Amino acid sequence: MPKQAVASPNAPKAIGPYSAALRVGQLLFVSGQVPFDPETGAMVEGDIGTMTRRVLQNIGALLDAAGLTHAHVVRTTVYLADMNDFAAMNDVYRTFFTEPYPARSTVQAARLPRDARVEIDVIASFDA
């Protein structure tokens, strides 16, 4: 199956040698997104809820560029710098997804890119 890179002007550009999102067959793999403002490239300021919202908006822009929505997401991984942020992250997360919710893992990471407090990656299905 051929691989097709997916990008969006409404999502931050990749900060390394990777694709922001990659379509392979009927799956879209969205690389971990941190709370960068796509217009400025700077980390958004605020609490974990504000940061989580920006991350999920960035993911939404990549999904949209591929012709998908958050409803097509089947798997997520959430990385938190501090697991004490779990409840506040979850409050925002639930506003982007509906039942049946995607499968998910949430882990605390020792350090995230650019010292972000949250990073999320997703897998979406064109069949979902």
Side-chain angles (χ1 to χ4, degrees):
M1 280 185 243
K3 298 184 289 187
Q4 177 186 1
V6 175
S8 170
N10 299 318
K13 293 181 175 150
I15 59 173
Y18 62 89
S19 298
L22 194 65
R23 180 177 181 171
V24 181
Q26 292 301 104
L27 295 175
L28 182 72
F29 299 86
V30 178
S31 294
Q33 297 294 302
V34 294
F36 289 150
D37 180 319
E39 291 183 20
T40 66
M43 188 86 63
V44 298
E45 305 224 358
D47 61 15
I48 193 67
T50 299
M51 293 179 180
T52 301
R53 186 171 295 101
R54 177 76 263 165
V55 168
L56 290 167
Q57 289 168 339
N58 292 345
I59 288 169
L62 292 164
L63 292 166
D64 184 60
L68 301 175
T69 68
H70 285 91
H72 292 91
V73 174
V74 296
R75 176 81 169 98
T76 69
T77 306
V78 178
Y79 305 91
L80 294 171
D82 184 348
M83 196 57 84
N84 291 317
D85 288 334
F86 180 85
M89 174 280 299
N90 213 39
D91 287 343
V92 173
Y93 178 98
R94 82 181 61 211
T95 68
F96 283 83
F97 299 101
T98 57
E99 291 189 38
Y101 297 111
R104 180 177 86 181
S105 295
T106 304
V107 297
Q108 181 171 317
R111 191 168 182 200
L112 296 170
R114 307 258 174 100
D115 293 320
R117 290 176 51 199
V118 59
E119 179 176 3
I120 302 173
D121 64 56
V122 307
I123 300 171
S125 171
F126 286 83
D127 294 328

